Amino acid sequence: MSKDQTSVLSGTQLTWEGFDILSTRISNAIRERKYQIDAIVGIARGGMFLAGALSYKLEIKNVFLVNTQLYSNRQRVNPRILHAPKDIFFENILVVDDILDTGSTYYLIQEFVRTISNNAIWTVLIDKGKSNIQVDFIGERLHADFWIDFPWSR
């Protein structure tokens, strides 16, 4: 987030309007850098919404989901991949998630991502600023550790 961009969060809540602002911020940044993207891989469940929004904004029809589980009822569980697409390969993919917190999801799926693409670009809607993971595009970077209430989880 540049100095001229203000936070779209209302307290700990992200609204649908805020989501649209952040997803537009990301799609504009991707266009400016002129990345060639062949497919989008969303990390379910929160990344599904960003994957859908970016597929429309960037006009990319190849969209896939990887379903992971790291939390249950806001409690940390043993991270695992529940479902991943099979028999796909694209030269350039955009991997999207709703939030970068500890980096656990990134570490969980990075090996899978290497099996489906030679070049993965990573983006998150919100980076909580806690992880040392460097993603390519961020809608908003925070420097706070609180649970974010996304519009699709209300």
Side-chain angles (χ1 to χ4, degrees), residues 43-54:
I43 301 171
R45 295 179 307 193
M48 294 188 310
F49 300 94
L50 184 56
L54 291 177

Side-chain angles (χ1 to χ4, degrees), residues 137-152:
F137 298 99
I138 299 167
E140 182 168 333
R141 185 185 314 270
L142 305 175
H143 296 285
D145 188 17
F146 52 83
W147 190 270
I148 297 177
D149 188 15
F150 290 98
W152 50 84

Side-chain angles (χ1 to χ4, degrees), residues 24-40:
T24 299
R25 215 179 262 175
I26 291 168
S27 66
N28 289 344
I30 291 169
R31 274 197 199 93
E32 285 174 15
R33 301 231 330 250
K34 297 180 170 63
Y35 277 110
Q36 171 63 39
I37 299 170
D38 304 313
I40 296 174

Side-chain angles (χ1 to χ4, degrees), residues 37-41 60-64 90 92-95:
I37 299 170
D38 304 313
I40 296 174
V41 176
I60 298 169
K61 295 197 182 252
N62 293 317
V63 180
F64 301 90
F90 294 94
N92 303 297
I93 64 169
L94 178 65
V95 182

Side-chain angles (χ1 to χ4, degrees), residues 43 66-70 78-82 103-113 122:
I43 301 171
V66 175
N67 193 355
T68 63
Q69 183 178 25
L70 281 80
N78 188 29
R80 62 191 177 125
I81 295 175
L82 301 173
S104 295
T105 304
Y106 174 89
Y107 291 120
L108 178 64
I109 72 161
Q110 73 178 5
E111 187 57 40
F112 165 74
V113 168
W122 293 74

